[in-house]
Amino acid sequence: SIARDGTAGASTATSALIAGGSDIENNRLNLVEAFDTSFVRTTLDPLNAARYDLGGVSLNGKAIFAGGRVDGSVESSYGRTVDVYDESLTHTIAEDLSLGVRNVGATALPGYAIINGIYAYGANENLVVDAYSSSLTLSQPDPLNYVANSRLAFTSFGNYAFVRGEVYANVYTVE
């Protein structure tokens, strides 16, 4: 493995995965590594696009990696790609995020992954939240109630997901 920054982590039912990032020379990486319970490292099929500042979330035995900076710092360089690895570590691509985003945060609820990132400083597009069901169907729940300009904090417990920005918090739930 190489030293890298801006990676994301998620797990399948059988392995912990680390994906993407950038190397010491700031080159974007599409590298994905899996670690089993004996800490044996395996290099997997690469991400669909090399990127850093992507988000990772685990959902029903699948590792999901979404968004991230593909190149540079302008909105057109933010990724929409969603890479998925199942428990057999097979790589597939889910439907794209609704917007290309960086500094991606994510959490999981029973049956759903909630994902958001930064589109542009001060932009209303930052309010958009994407949700993927267990079958990887994309939907948009209620938007955030405050435009965030930095990385959001995501966490969940039970049927509740909390998204915390600079000023406000949002709560999402499944029945």
Side-chain angles (χ1 to χ4, degrees):
S1 185
I2 60 172
R4 49 189 171 148
D5 183 35
T7 60
S11 61
T12 68
T14 59
S15 301
L17 280 65
I18 304 295
S22 60
D23 65 17
I24 195 163
E25 295 174 351
N26 208 28
N27 297 306
R28 300 338 177 238
L29 302 170
N30 60 2
L31 177 64
V32 180
E33 296 174 309
F35 298 85
D36 66 17
T37 57
S38 299
F39 303 106
V40 174
R41 182 181 64 221
T42 304
T43 301
L44 304 182
D45 288 342
L47 296 171
N48 191 45
R51 56 199 195 271
Y52 75 107
D53 285 346
L54 64 163
V57 63
S58 304
L59 178 65
N60 293 356
K62 298 174 187 139
I64 300 171
F65 298 102
R69 293 178 195 237
V70 178
D71 187 37
S73 61
V74 295
E75 292 81 15
S76 62
S77 70
Y78 302 158
R80 296 178 59 204
T81 302
V82 178
D83 293 89
V84 181
Y85 295 83
D86 64 20
E87 66 182 77
S88 62
L89 305 179
T90 301
H91 178 222
T92 58
I93 305 296
E95 183 177 348
D96 281 352
L97 294 169
S98 54
L99 291 169
V101 290
R102 63 179 169 85
N103 294 353
V104 181
T107 193
L109 289 167
Y112 288 92
I114 307 294
I115 301 169
N116 173 268
I118 304 303
Y119 171 74
Y121 189 81
N124 284 334
E125 288 87 345
N126 294 356
L127 300 172
V128 174
V129 175
D130 288 326
Y132 287 87
S133 68
S134 295
S135 62
L136 301 176
T137 300
L138 175 63
S139 62
Q140 277 81 39
D142 291 339
L144 297 175
N145 57 18
Y146 176 75
V147 175
N149 294 309
S150 63
R151 190 178 302 268
L152 298 170
F154 282 75
T155 192
S156 60
F157 72 95
N159 290 343
Y160 298 94
F162 296 88
V163 181
R164 176 71 178 149
E166 294 122 336
V167 177
Y168 296 103
N170 285 68
V171 178
Y172 294 92
T173 187
V174 292
E175 302 290 324

